[in-house]
Amino acid sequence: MTERKVRVRFAPSPTGPLHIGGVRTALYNYLFARQHGGDLVFRIEDTDSTRFVPGAEDYIIEAFKWLGIQFDEGVSFGGEYGPYRQSERRDIYKKYVQELLNAGRAYIAFDTPEELERVRNHIPNFQYDSRTRLHMRNSFTMKASEVMSYLEQGRQYVVRFRVDSGQDIVIDDMIRGEVHVKSDILDDKVLYKSADQLPTYHLANIVDDHLMKITHVIRGEEWLPSAPLHVLLYQAFGWEDTMPRFAHLPLLLKPDQPGKLSKRDGDRLGFPVFPLDWHSTDCKTGEEVFCSGYREQGYFPETVVNFLALLGWNPGGEQEIFSLDELVKLFDITKCSKAGAKFDYKKGIWFNHEYILRKSPEEIAKLWEPECREHGVKDSLERITQVVAMMKDRVNFVKELWPLCSFFFEAPTAYDEKTAKKRWKAPQEGEPGSAQTLTELCTVLEKLDDFSLENQEKVVHAWIEEKGYKLGNVMNAWRLALVGEGKGPGMFDISAFLGKEETIKRTRKAIEILG
């Protein structure tokens, strides 16, 4: 048999913001496709019209554009197997529903929701299957004429797949190996609903994968229970030769408790579980809904990709920072973990810090410049870059730079009380107070023609040694004068950046206020 070109798909439902677990699934599909020279298809599964949320589809597309995960065909990308939105494929699905009915592999059921509810209340753990279908209202228990009469009357119905008992269903899973399931535990799933003339996920998914020539289905572990039905459907249609290979990815788990990762965990611990910010209105309560996203929280897209790639898979070795191209070369779907992956959000912060370290000061400065301008900074981009070069190793996010570095551009208007109490010394026997030493320091600085870092350091250290002052006492008080608190890089880095005039001005002001 000729080997088929690898084709995988990511098929979200537009029911709200894309969960970070879905992002990881799409990423693994992308890595697998690129590694094998294949195609990644973007399909929208919107057969459940009651759960459709306006804006969700555009949100998903924008998220992947930000992350750099590119699709080869699908919704908004085009391709020869469209349409790629399931709500636009109604007539296609009807043909295959009828094919199953004609072959006796599916049947029509007229049970009303009220009737089904009564049965469920009467029979614990009821499921509609080979044992119970003969006691329900369907084409197995009704005469053909009665079924036709119901259809002519316009009675609502569903089409259910007929699952025969006594079968051993084998799922070929690239992560879990061969998975065997007995058909006796399966129910007769609904494949089609006359109420909206749309198929359910189970039928639409199989038909689309077949017609779009999907070779591998890489999806979350939560879909594993539906895999036996999908295998049976491929067999029912006679498509065994084109059945895709499955790979069911491990769940993303809560960082600190048992269970699957949810939005509540992010709210509780203060981290995003969505790629982008999401704003909407709750259709039931009318309340505004907001979910924070990685982009707006200040994460780099490469951080998110790197972080997610290693949740459930690892290439081995000590290396942790990988480019997207490196991940494509190294990725091995068969080496994914079977167990759930704990969502260590603190590791995500670490990744972002590492990417800040690896980016040039010029690149970070361009990202930070808009915020500087919002704060009224008129310094050149070159000056902003100088500050970034001194301080970027101290932050995890670009947005943390301003609180840490504002003193480079704005003179302090107040002095941290705790620092002043500890660092601004009163005169003591044998040691002048901070006001006197800094007054003398201003005199020393005023005489300097060369205000470079190196020259300042040489002259000031010589002066301190000559006077017999304690280095720490002078420098700590001077830092308070220039910064307003006890933070920042080396003192001569600060004074060289500020320049002679601004350095002396700030020092004298501190003497006036604190002395």
Side-chain angles (χ1 to χ4, degrees):
M1 185 171 64
T2 305
E3 188 172 343
R4 297 189 292 164
K5 180 181 182 180
V6 166
R7 285 175 60 81
V8 295
R9 48 75 168 176
F10 180 66
S13 298
T15 57
L18 180 65
H19 189 274
I20 203 69
V23 176
R24 186 193 61 167
T25 298
L27 172 61
Y28 281 11
N29 274 277
Y30 173 88
L31 297 177
F32 187 84
R34 293 293 175 266
Q35 187 179 72
H36 294 88
D39 296 327
L40 175 59
V41 179
F42 180 61
R43 191 169 74 215
I44 289 291
E45 297 190 344
D46 58 348
T47 56
D48 189 347
S49 56
T50 62
R51 299 179 62 216
F52 173 77
V53 174
E57 184 179 306
D58 291 339
Y59 173 97
I60 295 168
I61 292 172
E62 184 183 353
F64 288 120
K65 184 178 179 180
W66 174 65
L67 289 164
I69 297 175
Q70 299 176 339
F71 293 89
D72 299 294
E73 64 183 79
V75 174
S76 85
F77 302 101
E80 60 180 299
Y81 298 102
Y84 294 93
R85 189 177 287 107
Q86 289 186 337
S87 59
E88 299 172 2
R89 298 169 63 85
R90 294 170 188 261
D91 293 339
I92 296 173
Y93 302 131
K94 286 180 180 179
K95 169 190 170 184
Y96 289 98
V97 169
Q98 194 58 51
E99 186 175 314
L100 290 174
L101 287 170
N102 293 343
R105 297 307 308 269
Y107 60 95
I108 295 174
F110 293 98
D111 314 280
T112 66
E114 293 76 19
E115 289 171 338
L116 290 170
E117 185 63 26
R118 282 197 294 271
V119 174
R120 293 189 185 102
N121 291 334
H122 182 67
I123 303 175
N125 302 317
F126 168 80
Q127 73 173 20
Y128 211 120
D129 56 22
S130 59
R131 292 162 295 181
T132 61
R133 70 169 78 107
L134 297 178
H135 304 286
M136 306 300 290
R137 195 200 314 233
N138 52 57
S139 53
F140 280 115
T141 60
M142 299 167 63
K143 295 179 180 179
S145 58
E146 189 178 8
V147 171
M148 185 59 65
S149 175
Y150 271 35
L151 293 174
E152 290 172 351
Q153 294 171 30
R155 296 252 190 135
Q156 289 190 3
Y157 65 89
V158 299
V159 175
R160 290 182 178 272
F161 184 64
R162 193 195 82 205
V163 178
D164 297 328
S165 60
Q167 297 182 75
D168 180 40
I169 306 164
V170 181
I171 300 133
D172 178 18
D173 194 287
M174 292 185 287
I175 298 173
R176 300 159 197 282
E178 279 194 0
V179 180
H180 292 256
V181 178
K182 296 295 183 183
S183 64
D184 303 68
I185 68 171
L186 304 179
D187 60 339
D188 292 354
K189 289 290 186 188
V190 173
L191 301 181
Y192 180 84
K193 299 170 289 182
S194 67
D196 54 12
Q197 297 186 32
L198 280 171
T200 61
Y201 159 81
H202 300 290
L203 178 73
N205 177 61
I206 295 306
V207 169
D208 289 347
D209 284 349
H210 174 71
L211 296 181
M212 295 177 187
K213 303 187 184 300
I214 301 301
T215 61
H216 298 78
V217 172
I218 303 169
R219 58 189 180 182
E221 181 186 278
E222 63 270 21
W223 297 110
L224 185 56
S226 66
L229 173 63
H230 295 170
V231 170
L232 291 178
L233 278 165
Y234 268 96
Q235 294 172 349
F237 283 119
W239 296 339
E240 291 95 333
D241 290 344
T242 62
M243 186 184 302
R245 294 196 67 190
F246 292 99
H248 290 91
L249 304 173
L251 293 173
L252 293 184
L253 304 177
K254 299 174 185 289
D256 57 344
Q257 301 173 1
K260 182 180 176 182
L261 178 71
S262 71
K263 176 183 177 298
R264 290 190 187 90
D265 299 309
D267 294 340
R268 176 171 58 87
L269 297 172
F271 65 90
V273 294
F274 302 105
L276 315 176
D277 278 0
W278 169 260
H279 300 267
S280 67
T281 303
D282 190 293
C283 59
K284 294 180 180 178
T285 65
E287 295 180 354
E288 292 297 316
V289 176
F290 171 73
C291 305
S292 65
Y294 276 87
R295 181 179 66 181
E296 289 76 9
Q297 287 289 309
Y299 288 83
F300 300 118
E302 52 267 49
T303 292
V304 179
V305 167
N306 199 153
F307 172 50
L308 288 179
L310 301 182
L311 284 175
W313 168 80
N314 194 294
E318 298 298 320
Q319 183 179 345
E320 294 187 276
I321 304 298
F322 297 94
S323 68
L324 196 53
D325 288 341
E326 287 176 316
L327 290 171
V328 167
K329 291 176 184 176
L330 293 168
F331 186 67
D332 185 350
I333 192 73
T334 66
K335 296 296 195 316
C336 284
S337 170
K338 299 181 182 67
K342 183 172 288 190
F343 195 83
D344 184 359
Y345 67 95
K346 293 181 181 178
K347 188 71 171 181
I349 297 172
W350 177 86
F351 271 112
N352 212 66
H353 177 73
E354 289 298 307
Y355 274 100
I356 282 182
L357 295 181
R358 282 163 172 75
K359 290 180 184 292
S360 69
E362 290 77 13
E363 188 175 357
I364 299 296
K366 286 179 181 178
L367 295 173
W368 187 42
E369 184 184 13
E371 184 180 9
C372 290
R373 302 307 180 205
E374 288 177 8
H375 285 281
V377 173
K378 293 183 169 51
D379 294 57
S380 66
L381 179 59
E382 182 181 357
R383 293 264 295 167
I384 293 172
T385 303
Q386 290 175 25
V387 172
V388 169
M390 286 187 275
M391 302 296 285
K392 74 184 183 78
D393 63 336
R394 301 170 182 236
V395 298
N396 297 316
F397 301 96
V398 173
K399 65 182 180 181
E400 294 174 351
L401 282 169
W402 181 257
L404 195 65
C405 304
S406 60
F407 67 87
F408 283 105
F409 309 104
E410 298 176 342
T413 56
Y415 302 91
D416 180 66
E417 186 176 338
K418 186 176 180 181
T419 305
K421 186 175 181 180
K422 184 176 181 181
R423 302 301 186 189
W424 194 266
K425 303 295 185 180
Q428 296 178 1
E429 189 173 338
E431 184 79 22
S434 297
Q436 181 180 330
T437 55
L438 292 196
T439 299
E440 292 177 20
L441 175 61
C442 286
T443 302
V444 172
L445 296 176
E446 283 172 339
K447 294 177 181 178
L448 294 180
D449 293 324
D450 178 2
F451 209 71
S452 66
L453 183 154
E454 295 79 10
N455 192 54
Q456 282 189 73
E457 186 171 21
K458 180 181 69 173
V459 171
V460 172
H461 278 187
W463 165 71
I464 291 174
E465 186 175 351
E466 178 190 342
K467 300 291 288 188
Y469 296 151
K470 292 180 180 177
L471 180 65
N473 287 349
V474 176
M475 290 300 166
N476 287 330
W478 195 26
R479 181 179 299 278
L480 181 64
L482 299 188
V483 178
E485 54 185 304
K487 66 179 183 182
M491 280 308 303
F492 298 107
D493 292 280
I494 298 173
S495 58
F497 177 85
L498 294 177
K500 182 176 178 178
E501 182 181 346
E502 179 67 15
T503 296
I504 294 172
K505 180 180 176 182
R506 291 191 186 190
T507 306
R508 292 199 182 282
K509 183 179 178 183
I511 295 167
E512 179 185 343
I513 294 175
L514 296 172

